[in-house]
Every structure is written in structure tokens, then in C-alpha cells.
Amino acid sequence: MLWLMRNHTTVRLIQSIGLVMIISGGGCSPEWQPAANPPPRLESIVVEHQTEGTNRAMCVQGDVWYQLVGNQVLILDEQGREINRLRMAPDGASPPAIDVIAMDGRLAVLLGDGEIILFDIQSPWRPTVIERIGPGDIGDHGESLTILDGELVALCGDTARSMTGDVVARSDGPTLTSILDQGGRRLHVAGRRIHRRAGDAYLGTASLLEIAAPDDSPPDGVFVFARQERNGSLVGLLGEDCREVDPERWTLGVSGNVQRLRQRDSRILVVSDRGLQMLRRTQTGLVREWIWQQQGIWDADWLNEDRIAVSGSMGRGIIHAGSSRPEPTAGVWHPTAGGLTAAASDGEALVASSATGNWRYVVGKDPQRIDSIDEPLQSPPREAAVLGWLIQLDEHGKATLTGPDGSQTIQPATGGDFHCVMATEDAFWLGHDDGILLLMLQSGEEGASETAVRRLGVLVDGPVICIEPLVLGGGVAYASRNGGFGVVREVY
């Protein structure tokens, strides 16, 4: 049986007044039966099945590994085994979790819409919700989390705010990327520039900035910094004046854009989108111990002295990098369908490609890795027509809906762009940056000639790059860049 309808639809259900006729491709064999009642009204759409996609930020506390996937926190042990999982909201009802941080027996999780959820982790394997701080409750939309003087702070574009909404730092426009207190002064980083809050004095350049872990090499190294450059990044030490200690000995170049710096004694774990590098502070300078290349890395953290947890679009796993190993090696590994770059239907399943492998998804089942894809994946449709209506996506991801009464611009409720569109019998399904939008075309009531448009939607970790109707109707299957695969069903 075919699970998905191709563009050359082979099976379709036609409803007419008082009758239902089933037409199969290849000929017409009508089976007539009375339609007892008018078609029921569609009430909503729901995510019925969802696979794991990109593994985002993580936080390791003791022997517990907290990992963000979609709108869930996975609770893993130091062997990478899943012990528990926390769901922030029903599937399809919230954006993904994008940042996580722990402090003083609490775990803070930031959702993509700016909501912050605080958990008590006194029982680390069974966290309980303490508080939910709604989107906008602190005055701005949080984009990442940090700890400042023992308190949780949200970085919100050009401002940093406490959980009570107080502004603790503000830039003159560029996004804040770091904020810290050192030696009685408050520093923040925005637009690759380090500023002191008092007088907003410009002190030096960095993209990320941290207080250096206690070490006597060198004695005047106060900060660890990363700075994005045109062809990679620089990582090294700054003195109290926020200038490089010695660029020749205490600054090294790394590939990719640095996303996280993790310190442990004299070692600095550098997390970039091209992989991991381990740097060590010595008496003579900063040295590179090893490089582990892997595209699509989002985060990494120490599990212990010899093992590092890694997450990203390729999934999650553990690499062994102890002093007895000249090169890091992958250990436990859990691949997931993240970082999808293209997807299409082969008539029985969705197939998709990514920088780290190819996948095949049969509706409702776990996706399977495949060695290759037989045919080049076609670009997703950018226009569709049904019942005299036409929807078109332009090159910028904007949608125009044209009907009997003219044209109108359609936008996702969350903003952003559309990436694909598919028509079913009386509706359009559109994939966008944050999920799927359904436009239901329904005739006006009391004999009105115009057709009204209803909007229904679900949220997934997007962007959604492919939508295919289910062969028996009632919903669609989808592929998403960061959300993997899934099924959305109609609810009547």
C-alpha cells in the first residue's frame, strides 16, 4: 500500500451532495452509497507522530546529562542511556527548547518563544517544575541564558534581563553574546566589542568572553575569549585590560564559528560548528591537544576527565579523549535525523539527505539510515492550486493566496518564511520556519458565494522543508530541517 500521495495522485476521495464516490487511478469503478450526514467540521490539527531531530544545547551536572531535543529535555546517564524525559508541552503546541543551564539545584530551560521553565533538580533524575515565566513576562524575548553573580539572566537581543525584568545590560544595537562581572566591574560583549557598563567604555574585541578558570599559566590571564573572524575563529587569553596577553603564544586559530567554551582546570574545550578542539594552558603558551572534526555540532560538555558528551544535527554521543588516547574516538552514539537539507516522497516513504547521512521515513515508524538515495531529490513545490484558488511562494519565502475575490498575503503566526506548499482536496498545507500552517477553504454559510479561509497550525522544530499528503487522507507527513520527520493529523 502506498502511504503517501505523489503529485500524480493515484487515490482520491470525492464527496458530493448525498453521495460518496471512490475513484481509483487507472479506471472508474464507482461504489455508490448514501452519505448520511454532511461532512464533519475540522476542529484542529495535531502532531500524531514525531521523530528526534537535531540535538541542541546540553548541560551536564554530576553524572546526569540534560539534553534538549525538540520541546523535550532528555535525562541521560553518563553512558548516554535515557533515564527519563520531560515534555514542555504537547507535540505541536510549543517551539523547541533552545538553551539550558543549571544553578543551585535548579535547571532553567528556554523555549524558542521566550518562555523560561525552571525545574527543581534536587532529585536529578526526576526534575519537577518550579515556575514557568511566560514569553514577554520579563519584558523582552529571551534568546539565550547565562548566570550573572549567581542569578539567572536572559540575553534578549540588545538587552540582558533578570527574571524580574530588570535590565542588567544594554548594547547600542548589536546582539549581546556575553555578560559577566569581574573585579567590581560589569562587562558585556556585543558586536565583537567588549564594553564596560560604566560609561559604556570600549575595552577590546571578542565574540564570547568568560572568566578564566584558576590557573597560574599565565598569571595575568584573566579571561578566555573567542572571536569570530572571516575564515574561522580565534581563541585565547585576555588580560585584565581585555587585551590579548600574547597573541603569539596565547592565541590560537580554530576552524568554524565558536559556539561554546567549556573550561576544566587548565583545559579549554572549544565547541564550533566544524567540530571540537581541546586546548591546554601550559607554562609556555596555549597548546592544542587534539581536534575532532564533525559538522553540525551544537554543544558539548565533559562527563568526566576522559569522556565528553556531544550533540548536534547528527544526533548525540560520547567521545573518549583521555590522556592515554592520542586521538579522540567516538563511543556510544545515537544518530538522529537532524540537519536535513532536502526531502521528497518516493511513493512509499519520505527520503531525506543531510550533511551527515541519508534517511528514510515510513509513516509512523522510526526513520532508518540509508546508504544512498536512488534519484536526485526534487525541490519542494512552491505553488499549488485547488477549487479555483492558487497559492504561490516567492523566492524570499513570502506567500500570496489568490482566490475569487482577489489576492492576499499569508504569513505564519510566528513570522518567518515559508519553504514548501501542498494542496489537498479543499486545503493548502504550508511548511514554514516554525511548523505547518493549514489553510482550509470552506464555502460561505447561508448560500454565500465567497469561500472563507480558516487557519490552523502546529509548531515543530523547523524549518519544514517537505510536506506530503497521506494516501488515505486526513493529514500529511513532513520532513523538517531540525525536527526530523513526523505526521500531522486532522481532528474532527
Side-chain angles (χ1 to χ4, degrees), residues 201-398:
Y202 164 61
L203 302 177
T205 59
S207 300
L208 298 175
L209 190 66
E210 291 188 359
I211 302 292
D215 194 277
D216 59 357
S217 355
D220 53 350
V222 175
F223 304 102
V224 175
F225 81 96
R227 184 169 65 240
Q228 315 294 0
E229 301 289 347
R230 180 172 298 178
N231 297 311
S233 302
L234 295 176
V235 176
L237 294 182
L238 303 181
E240 191 165 6
D241 61 357
C242 295
R243 304 293 178 174
E244 292 181 53
V245 171
D246 182 344
E248 295 297 324
R249 296 192 301 149
W250 291 98
T251 300
L252 291 175
V254 301
S255 61
N257 292 326
V258 175
Q259 300 164 164
R260 189 87 76 175
L261 298 170
R262 303 275 195 185
Q263 298 183 70
R264 192 181 183 98
D265 301 324
S266 63
R267 292 181 294 171
I268 304 169
L269 177 62
V270 181
V271 183
S272 86
D273 57 359
R274 299 284 185 86
L276 306 179
Q277 295 198 24
M278 184 68 76
L279 311 182
R280 183 185 290 274
R281 298 160 63 180
T282 71
Q283 294 297 325
T284 58
L286 193 63
V287 300
R288 197 185 327 267
E289 289 195 339
W290 51 258
I291 299 174
W292 189 72
Q293 295 182 333
Q294 172 68 60
Q295 290 191 9
I297 296 287
W298 284 59
D299 206 350
D301 201 355
W302 271 282
L303 291 168
N304 54 39
E305 287 293 327
D306 300 326
R307 298 160 68 247
I308 295 171
V310 183
S311 63
S313 60
M314 73 296 169
R316 62 182 178 272
I318 296 172
I319 63 171
H320 299 273
S323 57
S324 61
R325 297 173 181 268
E327 297 291 338
T329 58
V332 175
W333 206 256
H334 181 79
T336 60
L340 303 183
T341 55
S345 169
D346 67 3
E348 296 180 344
L350 289 180
V351 291
S353 60
S354 75
T356 57
N358 303 310
W359 295 87
R360 189 171 189 270
Y361 173 66
V362 175
V363 169
K365 298 183 179 181
D366 291 336
Q368 301 296 315
R369 293 288 294 270
I370 56 177
D371 293 333
S372 62
I373 297 174
D374 294 337
E375 300 178 2
L377 297 177
Q378 297 182 355
S379 299
R382 299 189 67 82
E383 69 174 50
V386 68
L387 298 178
W389 289 73
L390 172 68
I391 193 160
Q392 296 172 301
L393 309 184
D394 67 16
E395 60 182 356
H396 304 295
K398 308 306 177 186

Side-chain angles (χ1 to χ4, degrees), residues 1-6 8 344-350 360 471:
M1 174 184 291
L2 297 182
W3 283 103
L4 304 171
M5 286 201 304
R6 306 299 301 273
H8 55 280
S345 169
D346 67 3
E348 296 180 344
L350 289 180
R360 189 171 189 270
V471 68

Side-chain angles (χ1 to χ4, degrees), residues 59-103:
C59 176
V60 176
Q61 289 289 290
D63 57 355
V64 185
W65 169 6
Y66 299 102
Q67 176 65 59
L68 301 185
V69 182
N71 67 354
Q72 301 179 67
V73 181
L74 306 187
I75 304 172
L76 313 171
D77 67 11
E78 58 185 2
Q79 302 298 321
R81 295 172 297 204
E82 182 180 327
I83 305 301
N84 195 7
R85 64 173 59 201
L86 308 174
R87 194 180 301 272
M88 309 297 138
D91 287 342
S94 79
I98 58 175
D99 204 6
V100 58
I101 197 167
M103 58 174 187

Side-chain angles (χ1 to χ4, degrees), residues 47 50 90-95 113 414 432 434-436 457-461 478:
V47 176
Q50 195 169 40
D91 287 342
S94 79
D113 61 359
T414 55
H432 57 85
D434 302 304
I436 294 175
V458 292
L459 299 175
V460 301
D461 193 355
Y478 69 85

